[in-house]
């Protein structure tokens, strides 16, 4: 809630902040990328080449139709451009997506479909990070 919080001033390590974020996202009643949206995103990803323009446009249209309210689950509060500083922090969009996709999507790993789609889920989150201004 405190938008003026300076994490560097608090002397938190990067791992502490990342762990707190993952904990926060994992405790939400529904994943940040809601289950109802995940099916559509996986379908959009599988119909076109990963990262292709049709995939971007279809996912963008779906997200905007799903998230019509300003306080929806994927609304844009404040964003940190962690991946833009990847030369310093080594956290490229791929690395960030590998770390965060399981927490942001929370698939049911008891099904074979979820297990075989793990790379797809990770790629979707990577695409969101890379194309953040387009999607949000």
């Amino acid at each position: 809630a405190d938008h003026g919080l300076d994490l560097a001033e608090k002397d938190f390590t990067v791992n502490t902040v990342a762990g707190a974020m993952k904990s926060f996202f994992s405790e939400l009643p529904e994943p940040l990328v809601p289950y109802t949206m995940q099916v559509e995103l996986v379908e959009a990803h599988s119909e076109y080449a990963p990262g292709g323009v049709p995939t971007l446009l279809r996912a963008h249209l779906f997200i905007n139709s799903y998230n019509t309210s300003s306080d929806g689950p994927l609304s844009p509060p404040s964003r940190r451009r962690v991946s833009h500083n990847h030369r310093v922090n080594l956290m490229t969009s791929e690395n960030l997506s590998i770390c965060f996709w399981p927490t942001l999507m929370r698939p049911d790993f008891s099904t074979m479909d979820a297990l075989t789609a793990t790379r797809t889920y990770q790629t979707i989150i990577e695409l969101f990070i890379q194309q953040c201004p387009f999607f949000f």
Side-chain angles (χ1 to χ4, degrees):
D2 182 3
H3 296 285
L5 179 66
D6 184 356
L7 295 175
E9 180 182 289
K10 300 290 185 189
D11 201 28
F12 293 131
T13 67
V14 172
N15 294 341
T16 301
V17 175
M21 285 178 55
K22 288 177 83 170
S23 178
F24 171 78
F25 289 131
S26 68
E27 292 176 16
L28 292 173
E30 188 169 354
L32 189 64
V33 179
Y35 293 120
T36 54
M37 182 184 278
Q38 291 179 24
V39 173
E40 294 286 334
L41 290 171
V42 169
E43 286 176 9
H45 180 273
S46 65
E47 286 183 24
Y48 303 102
V53 172
T55 301
L56 284 173
L57 293 176
R58 183 167 175 193
H60 176 70
L61 291 171
F62 180 72
I63 287 169
N64 284 321
S65 69
Y66 180 85
N67 193 41
T68 57
S69 67
S70 63
D71 61 346
L74 297 175
S75 61
S78 64
R79 297 187 191 102
R80 302 283 182 199
R81 305 240 183 243
V82 176
S83 67
H84 287 203
N85 294 309
H86 66 88
R87 287 183 186 91
V88 175
N89 62 29
L90 305 178
M91 291 306 289
T92 63
S93 56
E94 181 180 16
N95 289 344
L96 287 166
S97 66
I98 289 168
C99 291
F100 283 98
W101 80 261
T103 306
L104 299 178
M105 297 184 88
R106 279 192 256 150
D108 177 9
F109 286 117
S110 65
T111 67
M112 188 53 121
D113 290 342
L115 290 173
T116 58
T118 57
R119 178 66 179 143
T120 300
Y121 292 138
Q122 184 261 315
T123 303
I124 290 168
I125 296 299
E126 182 178 1
L127 187 63
F128 284 167
I129 293 167
Q130 290 172 345
Q131 303 296 329
C132 184
F134 178 77
F135 285 115
F136 309 104

